[in-house]
Amino acid sequence: MQYWRSMDELAQTPEFKEAVKREFPNDEWDRLPPATRRQFLKVMGASVAFAGLTSCRWPKQEIVPFAHRPEGRTPGIPEQYATSIDVGGSALGLLVTSMDGRPIKNEGNPLHPDSLGALPATIQSDILALYDPDRSQGLVLRQGGQDYVKTWDDFHTWASEKVAGTGAGVAVFAESSSSPTVARLQQQFRQTFADAAWVEYEPISRDAEREGTAIAYGRPLRVQPHLDHARVIACFDADPFLAHPAAIPLSRAFTEGRQPSEAGISRLWVAEPGYTITGGQADHRKAVAGSQVPNLLASLARELVANHQLELPEQAMNFEAAFGSANADGGDFIPGLAADLMAHRGSSVILVGHGQAAEVHALAAVLNEGLGAVGSTLTYTEAPDPGRSNHLQAIADLVASMNSGVVDTLMILGGNPVYDAPADLGFAEALAKVSHTVHLGLYDDETSKLCSWQLPRAHSLESWGDGRAWDGTLTLQQPLIEPLYGGRSTIEILAAMLGESNPSGHDSVRDTMSASFADGDFETAWKNALHDGIVSDTAWEPAVTELDGSSLAAAGTALATLVGAAKPTAHSPELVLAADRKVFDGRWSNNAWQQELPDAITKATWDNVLEVAPVTARELGLSEGDMVEISAGGASLELPVCVIPGQAAATLSTSLGYGRTAAGTVGNDVGSDTYRLRTSASLWVIPEVGVAKTGRKIALATTQDHFAIDAIGFGARNDRISTLIRETNIDRYLADPDVIQHMDHHPPLVSLWKDKQYPGEQWGMAIDLNACNGCNACVVACQAENNIPVVGREQVINQREMHWIRIDRYFKTEPGVGPLDVEDAEIVFQPMTCIQCENAPCEQVCPVAATQHTEDGINAMIYNRCIGTRYCSNNCPLKVRRFNFFNYHKELADVEKLQFNPEVTVRSRGVMEKCTYCVQRIQAVRIGARNDNRPIADGEIVPACAQTCPTKAITFGDLNNPESEISHLRGDKRAYGTLVELNIRPRTQYLARLSNKVGGDGGGGHAPPHHADDSDHGKEG
Amino acid sequence: MSASIPVSNHLDNTTDDPTRRAPLIVGDNDFHSVTEAVCGIVEMPKTPPAWWIAFFISVSLTGVLFAMITYLITTGVGVWGLQTPVAWGWAIVNFVFWVGIGHAGTLISAILFLLRQRWRTSINRFAEGMTIFAVCCAGIFPGIHVGRVWVAYWLAPLPNQMSMWPNFRSPLLWDVFAVGTYATVSLLFWYMGMIPDLASIRDRAKSKIRWFIYGILSLGWRSSNRHWHRFEMAYLLLAALATPLVLSVHSVVSFDFAVSIIPGWHTTIFPPYFVAGAIFSGFAMVVTLVIPTRKFFHLEEIITLRHLESMSKIMLATGMMVGLAYSTEFFIAWYSGNAYESFAFLNRAFGPYAWAYWIMVSCNVLVPQIFWVKKFRTNLVVLWVASILINVGMWFERFVIVVSSLSRDFLPSSWGYYTPSIVDVMTFVGSFGLFMTLFLLFVRFLPIVGMAEVKGVMPQAHLKDVAALGHGDYHGDILTEKGEV
Amino acid sequence: MTADTTSRTNPNDGAELFGLVASFDKIDEFLEAVTKVRDAGFSKWDTHTPFVVHGLDAAMGIKPTKLPFLVFGAGLTGCTAGIALQWFTNAVDYPFLISGKPIFSLPANIPVAFEMTILFAAISALVGMLAFNGLPQLSHPLHSSRLMKRATDDKFLISIEAADPKFELVKTHELLESLGPLAVEVVEV
C-alpha cells in the first residue's frame, strides 16, 4: 500500500520492492493465500445470508452463495447492526453499517452509555483494520528459521499436549478484557489448570486510579465522574474528554454544563504538562511539569485546609502531614481554584489523570470527600476484577518467572508485550528463554515475530463476544462478516483449550448471557440484546464507600516524597509520555486514517513529535523540526521538535505507539518508539532526560502553519482569530447577548443582481464552537463516509491532505505579542468544511460548471464533469476544496476497496472534491420520505460529522422549516457566519464560544468602528 | 547582403533635430539592396554553424518540454509544486508571462500602424513572428495545467456526452475565446503582411522546389495594384480590429484574477495594469531578440539604432505605468481600509515572498529609469541587458500576483508556502526551447523584415512633386485622399 | 486567326497573346505613364509595384473596394453569434444555478461576444480580400513574364491585356514605348 508515493519515488522505495515481493510470492510466508476478490464475494455472500438471520453466525456455518435473497434484505440498502469493541478493558458499543454484507462504517450505538451514538476517531478507523491486507493471514509455526503453514487443528492438537494436566509451566498473557465470557473461561481455565499462571497487562492502564481508590477506601474502585452536575471541574493532568474509556459521556456531560443559561455555566480548571483537548476547553489552565502535579494538588489541599478551613474527613488527618512540603508556585491558580471549589462544595469535582501516582489519586479522593463531591459529581463502583494484581506487577512477575525458566509454554492472547512492555523488564530477552511461545494477534507483530506460533486473531467485527461499559452496562459483540483470514477470537481459543470439540464463540457468549438473564424468556431477551447491542439496566450500582484511615496513613510518606519531587530544569528536563491521541498504545499504527489524522494540538501527521515550550526551546536553542536526541537510562531516541505555547517549561511531551517495526506497511518506521525510554520505575514521567541537538532538521507533516511565523502574518492571524472564532465571557454574554453580533462590522451587503429566492427544503448547518473540543471524530467519520483517500506523509508535507472537514486550531495570544515572545496561549478550535455559500465564489469561476448550486441550496460538485482547473479552490475563501493531485486509490488492494461506501463516487486523479453535506444521506432520506409520501422530519438527515460528534456540536436541518432545530440555532444570539462581509451568504454558521473565567471579561467588546445604523453584523447568510 | 558593411556613425540616425526628418533606413540603400539584404538571409546557400548550434540547443530544450508534459499527463499535476492554498503556480505564471510577451507584435503592427509610427515597418514582421511563437508557448500552459487534460476539450462549447455546456460566467472561458481569437488574428495578420514578401522570394527563386513552395505560400501574388488596393484596406481593417483585440486579450487574462475574490487579485486596476505590463515585456523581448539578430544578419541599416531607441522609450513609458500600478495598489489597499487587502500587500512586500516582490520592483521600475539617458538608450549592450532584466522582472510580477496572493488569503489556518518542483522549472525552461526553435526557423526561412513596407517608407518611394498626387506620405493615410480612392 | 482582325496573336509564332508589359524604375515617370495609359481609355490593364505606390489608385482611377461592408457584416454576425451561443447554452438548453446569479445576464457575456466579433471580422477581412482579388491564383500568364520578376523587387510595371477591346499589338506597343519604359515585353498566354 504505497498510495502516498508518486510513481517515480515509488519505483525506488524498498517498500515498493517489498510490495512487489508480496505480489509474487517467493518465500514460505507469502505462500499463504492472499485475499482475493472471489474469496471475498463468497465471504460476503455468506455473511449476508447469516445477516438475514439477525446476522448471527449460527453454530452450523456454511458458505452459501447469495443466490436466494434472505428475507427482509434489499440488495444495495445498507443495514446497521449493533456490536461492540473492547479497548483496554472497557467495551464501546457500535452500530456498524453493512452494505450487502460488507461492514463499511463504524458508528456509535446510541443506547450504549459510553457511546451515546458517537465514537472517537480511533474506533471509527478500526474498520480499516478489518480489511487490512497486512493482517495475519493464517497460522504459522516458526521452527529453525523456517515458517510452516499450519491449521487450527494442528495448533489445538499441539496445545492439548502442552497445556495439560495441572498446567504447570504454562502461562497465559492476556490483554485486559471486560468480557464476562472471557472472565468465565479464565475462571474455568484456572480451575482446570491450577498451576498455570494468568497475567493481564495493558501498557496504557488506569491502574493508578484503581490503586489510589484502594489506598483511600481500602479496596479498588472505579471512578465515575458526573460532570453534568459539576459547576467547578478541576483536572490535574487528566484528559477526561479523550484519554478516558468514558470520554464521550464525560465530554457530552461537560458540554451540557456549558450551555448558556441564567444560572451561568460550569468552570473548568486544568493543570497539565502538555496541552490536551481538555486543556483546550479550560477557563483557567496552568502548565505544570508532570512531576510537579502532586505538589500542585497538595498545595491546593493545603490552601483549602489552611485558608478555607476545609475540614477533611478524620481518616485523612494523618494524610495532611504530606501537605507540609507542598510549595507549588501556582500563581493565582491555587488560590482561585481553592476559592472556587469552596464556593461550590457539593457541585465541584477534582479529577486526576492515569499518569499520576496512586497516592495522588488517593489525595484527590480525600479532597473530593472533603468537598462533598462523592455522591453528586462523582460516584464509585466496585472494580470488576478486584482480585488481579496491577498490570505492571503482573508483567514484572511474568518476566521474572520466564527468566527463571519456570515458564515453558507462554500463550500470548492479544497484546504486543515485546513492543510495549516497560523497557527495563527486557521482555524480548525473557521470551527467548521460553521454549514454546504462542501469539494470538490481528497482526504478525513484534511479539509474534519472536513467538513460535502465530495465530491469526478474528477482528471484533468477525467474532462473537461481550463486554462491559465503563459503568458496567453489559454489551454484546456480534460478527458482521466471516473471518476474512480464518482468524479466531480469544474466547474460541480458550474454549478449545478447555476441551470444547467445536469451540463456538456464539455458544460461549450465549452460555455466559443465559446466566445474566435470570428470569424471563431467554431467546427474546437474547434477540433484544443482540438488536440493542446492550442489556439494559446492567450498569453497576454505586459502591458504598468509606475512607480507610490506615492505608491513607501508610501512604502519607509516599505522597510526601512525590510532593517533594525536584523541579525539572531546561537542561535536565523531564519527558512526559502519553497515550497517542491517534494510534493509542500503538495498536492502530497500521491504520492509515489514524496516521494521517492531524493531531488535535500539534496538527502533526505521520509522526510523534516532541512538544517543547517556547521558553525551553529558546534555552536549548531548539526550533520547529529540529531532530533532537532524547536519552534516559542508557536508551536514547530521536524526535522532531514541535514548539507549543502552553507546554510546561522544562517539560517535554511526546506520545507512545510509534516507531513500530512490525506493524505493517503503513505503520512501520513511522515516528520513533518511545517505549524504549519507558521503565517500570517511571511509566509516565521520566525525570532528567538528556537532550542533544542532532543538527538535522525534518519537515513536520503538519496540516497547519507553525504558530511562530513572520511578524506580519502573526499579527494578521491574531487580528482575525477574534472575529473568526468569536468568544466571550458568560457574564458579559448574559448581560448583553448581542455582544457576539457586535464583534464584527462591515458595510451593508448588496448584490448587483436580484437575490435568488430559495423555496422548499434548504439545508443548513450550525457548528457550536462552545461544544467542539477538537477531538477529530468528525474528520474520520467524514473520511469513512465519503471514501476520502489517504495521501501519505510526503503529500501532507506538500499541503495536499484530503480531509473534507478539518479542525482549525489557533493559539490565542494577547494582542501586540510578537511571534517570539509567546509563552502561554489559549487554544481555540474551529471545525472548517464547505459552508455551502449561497453566492458561492467557487461556482462562478468554474469554466465547465462542474460545481453548481442545487435547488435545495447545496454547493454541489459534479466529479465526472470536473476537468481540474483548480480555479474553484483558488477562489474559495475558506480553502475547503481538496484536489486529487494523483490517483490516490491506485495502490489500494482489492480487500481495502471493500470498505468503500458505494453511495459515494471514488474520485479519480485530477478532480476537485469537497464536503457536500453528505448529499448521499440527504438523498437516501428524501427517497425514503417520498416513498412513504411524507415530509422529511427534522433531524432525520444526519451528516456523518454530526452523527459522530461526541458533544453534538454539529446540527443539520432545513432552514425553511421554522420549527427545525437548525432554525432555532440560527436565531440564537451566538450564531454568526464566517467571512459574511464577502456577501457569500454561508449556509453553515457558527455558535460563539463562551468562557467562564473568574471575574473574567474574556473577549467580546465592540469592533471599531461603531457601525452606522445601516451597517451589518456578521449574521447574514 | 548589402553591398557595404557600413561604419557605425552612418548607422546613427537617432537625431532628435525637429527640422529634418531622420531617415528610417540608413546607408546607401535602394529598393533592390533592401530586397537583397532581407531575401539574402533566406537564400543563404549554406546555413551558418551558429544557427545550427542555436537550433540544436533549442530543439533539445523543446524535447525537455514535451518530456515534462508527458510525465505530467501520465502522473498527475502533483508532479508540480501545487497545493492548497496555492493551486495555481508556475503554469499560470508562465501562461500570463508568454501571453504578455505576445503583445508586442500586434501592438507594433496594429496600434503603431494606426498611429502612423513609420518606424514600425522595420521591426513589425519580426515582432509579429515573436508574438505568434509566444502565444504558442502561452497556449500550452492552460492546456496542460488542468487535472484531466484528456477532457480539456470540454472548455469548448461542443455538444458532449453529458449534454452540458461550458459556464460562460467563468473568466477562464473568456480566456479561451480571447487567447484563441488573439492567436488566430495575429496569425492572419502576420501571414497577410508576408504575402508580397513571399512573392519576392518566389520571383528570385533559383531552384524549382523553392519556387514551388514560396509560390504556394504567396498564393500567386502578382503585386497588382488592383490587389494592393484591397490588400491595403484589409490590412487597415485588421489593424483596426487588432487594436481593441490586443488591449482586450490581456484585460481578459487579468479578469482571471480580477473577477475572483482573493485579496491581491480582486482589483479593478488589473486590466490597464496588465496591458501596460504586457507591452512592457513584449518590447523587452523584441529588443532581446532583435539586437543579436540584426547583428548576426547585418540588418543594422534596416533595423536601425533609431528603432531600438524608440523601443527603449516605450519601455520607459510602460515601465513607469507598471510602477504607477504597483503604487496605486498599495495606496488603495491602505485607503480602502479593507484589512484583508492591506494585509495582502504588506505580506507581498514584507512577507515570505518579499524577495520575489523586490526583484520585481527593481527590474520593472528601477531598471527602465536608465532610459532617461540617451547614452543608455543607444548603447546596445546596456539596452540588451536591461531588456533581459525587464523580462525577468515581468515574470516575477506574475509570480508575485499569482502565488503571494494565494499563499495567504482569508483563513490563517490554510495559509501555505509554495515551492516549485523541478518539473515546474524544466517545463518553463522547455517552453523557451520551443519559442527559440520556432523563432530560429522563422529567421531562416521567412522574410524577417517586411520588405514591401520598408520600401514604402524609403525616400525613393516618395514623389519629387508631391503637389500632383497627395503628399505621397506613408500609405497609412490612403483613406485621407480626396474622395476618389 | 486572320490577319485583318486586330492582331491578338504573336506575329512571330502565332501563339495567343496575354498582352504587353512595360517596366519603369522611376516612380514619377511610372505614375505619368500610368495616367497616360488610363487616358488612352484602356479597361483591361493593371500596374504592378513592389510596394504600395501612393496616388496610384487615383492615377488608375480605381473604385473604392466593398471590403469594409463585408467585414462590418461579418463583425455583426460574430457579435450576434457570440451572444446567441451564450444565451442558448447557459439560459435555454442547460440552465444551471451559479453563485446565486441570474440565469442570463449580459455583463458576463460581453467578453466572449466581443472576441467573436473580432474573430469573424478579422477572418472575413483576409478571406474577403483574397476572394475579391481572385487569389490564390497560382497560374497566371504574367508569372511567366521576365519583367514581372522584378515587380516584387524594385521595378514598376504596366500590363495591358490583349483582351482589351482597344488593344492592338502594334499601336499599344508604340504607346508603351512612347512612355519611356526600361523595356516592353510581349506576354503570351
Side-chain angles (χ1 to χ4, degrees), chain A residues 710 720 800 845 871 909, chain B residues 73 80 170 256 408-409 413:
Chain A
D710 58 289
R720 293 180 192 185
R800 292 168 179 175
V845 296
Y871 198 176
R909 184 234 299 181
Chain B
I73 293 175
W80 286 344
S170 166
D256 289 347
R408 287 182 165 183
D409 62 349
S413 63

Side-chain angles (χ1 to χ4, degrees), chain A residues 592-611:
Chain A
W593 288 351
Q594 285 303 304
Q595 288 288 7
E596 188 145 309
L597 190 63
D599 179 271
I601 305 299
T602 65
K603 290 292 155 193
T605 66
W606 295 98
D607 236 337
N608 54 343
V609 300
L610 189 70
E611 294 167 46

Side-chain angles (χ1 to χ4, degrees), chain A residues 525-871:
Chain A
W526 169 254
K527 282 264 167 64
N528 293 341
L530 269 183
H531 178 272
D532 297 349
I534 63 159
V535 183
S536 41
D537 311 323
T538 46
W540 294 310
E541 291 305 317
V544 184
T545 58
E546 193 185 349
L547 288 174
D548 179 332
S550 56
S551 60
L552 279 171
T557 36
L559 179 61
T561 336
L562 288 164
V563 171
K567 274 198 160 142
T569 68
H571 290 281
S572 74
E574 70 177 38
L575 179 68
V576 176
L577 299 173
D580 189 72
R581 281 181 278 261
K582 305 186 292 172
V583 303
F584 192 51
D585 58 2
R587 71 183 65 195
W588 283 296
S589 7
N590 206 49
N591 191 310
W593 288 351
Q594 285 303 304
Q595 288 288 7
E596 188 145 309
L597 190 63
D599 179 271
I601 305 299
T602 65
K603 290 292 155 193
T605 66
W606 295 98
D607 236 337
N608 54 343
V609 300
L610 189 70
E611 294 167 46
V612 184
V615 58
T616 316
R618 272 199 300 283
E619 288 181 41
L620 296 174
L622 302 175
S623 63
E624 189 85 350
D626 283 349
M627 282 305 261
V628 293
E629 189 184 41
I630 305 291
S631 48
S636 76
L637 51 83
E638 291 185 0
L639 281 168
V641 169
C642 181
V643 182
I644 296 288
Q647 173 78 14
T651 306
L652 315 171
S653 294
T654 187
S655 59
L656 299 160
Y658 288 86
R660 299 280 309 267
T661 54
T665 39
V666 175
N668 284 349
D669 312 319
V670 175
S672 50
D673 177 6
T674 42
Y675 279 110
R676 292 194 278 113
L677 299 182
R678 197 182 193 221
T679 62
S680 37
S682 48
L683 282 178
W684 300 103
V685 178
I686 306 170
E688 293 170 7
V689 294
V691 185
K693 282 179 80 167
T694 61
R696 282 183 298 108
K697 219 175 170 59
I698 67 156
L700 289 178
T702 57
T703 57
Q704 248 180 277
D705 264 354
H706 175 39
F707 87 101
I709 50 177
D710 58 289
I712 294 170
F714 191 88
R717 185 171 63 192
N718 282 357
D719 298 344
R720 293 180 192 185
I721 291 171
S722 56
T723 43
L724 281 175
I725 300 166
R726 302 190 187 177
E727 177 172 13
T728 190
N729 189 279
I730 180 67
D731 306 332
R732 190 190 182 95
Y733 174 75
L734 292 174
D736 168 20
D738 287 325
V739 61
I740 304 295
Q741 307 310 323
H742 286 285
M743 285 183 181
D744 182 35
H745 298 126
H746 53 78
L749 302 172
V750 282
S751 290
L752 288 172
W753 54 84
K754 195 167 147 297
D755 281 332
K756 165 152 177 59
Q757 298 311 308
Y758 294 90
E761 287 147 352
Q762 292 303 322
W763 308 119
M765 185 179 274
I767 302 180
D768 187 348
L769 299 180
N770 195 38
C772 174
N773 60 20
C775 74
N776 272 335
C778 50
V779 179
V780 175
C782 179
Q783 188 153 27
E785 172 74 17
N786 294 299
N787 303 334
I788 296 172
V790 170
V791 299
R793 180 198 201 92
E794 286 78 0
Q795 296 308 322
V796 173
I797 291 173
N798 295 345
Q799 301 173 64
R800 292 168 179 175
E801 66 274 6
M802 296 297 283
H803 299 130
W804 286 3
I805 183 170
R806 60 173 198 258
I807 313 282
D808 287 349
R809 178 268 292 126
Y810 296 105
F811 292 102
K812 271 177 88 172
T813 53
E814 296 308 313
V817 182
L820 295 179
D821 35 47
V822 175
E823 290 311 340
D824 200 348
E826 286 181 34
I827 277 188
V828 288
F829 296 106
Q830 183 178 39
M832 182 53 69
T833 180
C834 178
I835 55 174
Q836 317 287 342
C837 313
E838 280 178 12
N839 298 343
C842 51
E843 290 170 0
Q844 75 199 36
V845 296
C846 177
V848 292
T851 181
Q852 32 177 289
H853 237 64
T854 64
E855 284 302 329
D856 50 4
I858 292 173
N859 167 231
M861 264 308 296
I862 305 152
Y863 299 124
N864 58 344
R865 174 66 172 174
C866 177
I867 66 172
T869 66
R870 304 181 301 285
Y871 198 176

Side-chain angles (χ1 to χ4, degrees), chain B residues 262-289:
Chain B
I262 302 302
W265 281 14
H266 180 67
T267 158
T268 48
I269 196 182
F270 264 11
Y273 165 12
F274 268 52
V275 171
I279 296 165
F280 187 43
S281 61
F283 270 91
M285 185 58 90
V286 176
V287 170
T288 316
L289 292 177

Side-chain angles (χ1 to χ4, degrees), chain B residues 191-353:
Chain B
Y191 177 62
M192 180 174 147
M194 215 155 31
I195 292 175
D197 298 340
L198 291 167
S200 312
I201 302 177
R202 172 200 63 199
D203 291 345
R204 295 161 51 90
K206 302 276 178 295
S207 77
K208 206 101 183 98
I209 308 106
R210 180 178 286 271
W211 176 82
F212 182 75
I213 294 170
Y214 287 97
I216 303 257
L217 289 176
S218 57
L219 306 175
W221 179 258
R222 297 196 298 280
S223 55
S224 144
N225 192 60
R226 299 183 188 279
H227 292 179
W228 274 122
H229 170 58
R230 301 194 184 89
F231 181 93
E232 283 276 72
M233 180 52 67
Y235 199 93
L236 178 67
L237 289 167
L238 275 181
L241 290 166
T243 301
L245 176 63
V246 71
L247 297 182
S248 81
V249 174
H250 228 48
S251 305
V252 170
V253 170
S254 79
F255 288 165
D256 289 347
F257 308 104
V259 170
S260 81
I261 62 167
I262 302 302
W265 281 14
H266 180 67
T267 158
T268 48
I269 196 182
F270 264 11
Y273 165 12
F274 268 52
V275 171
I279 296 165
F280 187 43
S281 61
F283 270 91
M285 185 58 90
V286 176
V287 170
T288 316
L289 292 177
V290 91
I291 288 178
T293 315
R294 73 196 270 277
K295 181 110 202 93
F296 187 74
F297 294 115
H298 308 293
L299 294 172
E300 288 93 342
E301 297 181 342
I302 298 172
I303 304 173
T304 68
L305 214 50
R306 187 177 186 80
H307 293 103
L308 298 172
E309 192 196 9
S310 315
M311 288 196 272
S312 57
K313 286 176 183 167
I314 291 192
M315 284 192 275
L316 176 57
T318 47
M320 310 250 299
M321 292 187 209
V322 172
L324 176 66
Y326 298 163
S327 41
T328 314
E329 280 186 318
F330 268 86
F331 172 75
I332 294 300
W334 163 77
Y335 185 70
S336 67
N338 178 326
Y340 297 114
E341 189 78 1
S342 30
F343 170 72
F345 285 94
L346 272 181
N347 183 51
R348 245 179 219 187
F350 307 105
Y353 283 108

Side-chain angles (χ1 to χ4, degrees), chain A residues 422-577:
Chain A
D424 57 328
L425 297 181
F427 191 92
E429 295 70 16
L431 191 61
K433 301 203 181 76
V434 181
S435 35
H436 306 291
T437 48
V438 180
H439 178 258
L440 171 71
L442 275 183
Y443 293 91
D444 190 25
D445 58 23
E446 290 83 350
T447 306
S448 151
K449 298 271 187 228
L450 300 182
C451 290
S452 37
W453 284 89
Q454 161 60 22
L455 314 179
R457 184 184 193 172
H459 187 273
S460 59
L461 294 178
E462 296 171 332
S463 53
W464 284 98
D466 51 12
R468 281 188 175 275
W470 184 250
D471 72 355
T473 304
L474 204 47
T475 307
L476 278 189
Q477 172 193 326
Q478 64 173 321
L480 276 82
I481 188 168
E482 277 278 299
L484 302 176
Y485 304 106
R488 288 193 181 175
S489 67
T490 310
I491 291 176
E492 289 163 325
I493 306 276
L494 282 175
M497 288 202 294
L498 291 166
E500 297 206 12
S501 56
N502 172 17
S504 149
H506 173 255
D507 298 353
S508 310
V509 173
R510 271 175 68 94
D511 297 350
T512 320
M513 285 295 150
S514 54
S516 316
F517 311 135
D519 48 3
D521 160 22
F522 174 69
E523 283 308 324
T524 327
W526 169 254
K527 282 264 167 64
N528 293 341
L530 269 183
H531 178 272
D532 297 349
I534 63 159
V535 183
S536 41
D537 311 323
T538 46
W540 294 310
E541 291 305 317
V544 184
T545 58
E546 193 185 349
L547 288 174
D548 179 332
S550 56
S551 60
L552 279 171
T557 36
L559 179 61
T561 336
L562 288 164
V563 171
K567 274 198 160 142
T569 68
H571 290 281
S572 74
E574 70 177 38
L575 179 68
V576 176
L577 299 173

Side-chain angles (χ1 to χ4, degrees), chain B residues 50-63 65-66 97-98 101 126 129-138 140 284-293 296-297 384 388 391 427-445 448:
Chain B
W51 187 91
W52 278 117
I53 296 163
F55 188 70
F56 175 76
I57 296 170
S58 312
V59 170
S60 326
L61 287 179
T62 316
L65 172 66
F66 286 105
F97 172 75
W98 280 119
I101 286 176
F126 194 86
M130 190 203 69
T131 293
I132 308 288
F133 311 142
V135 173
C136 290
C137 296
I140 288 178
M285 185 58 90
V286 176
V287 170
T288 316
L289 292 177
V290 91
I291 288 178
T293 315
F296 187 74
F297 294 115
W384 194 67
I388 288 179
N391 282 319
T427 314
F428 181 47
V429 174
S431 68
F432 273 96
L434 177 63
F435 180 73
M436 286 311 297
T437 308
L438 295 169
F439 177 75
L440 286 164
L441 290 170
F442 164 64
V443 296
R444 182 70 182 86
F445 296 109
I448 61 173

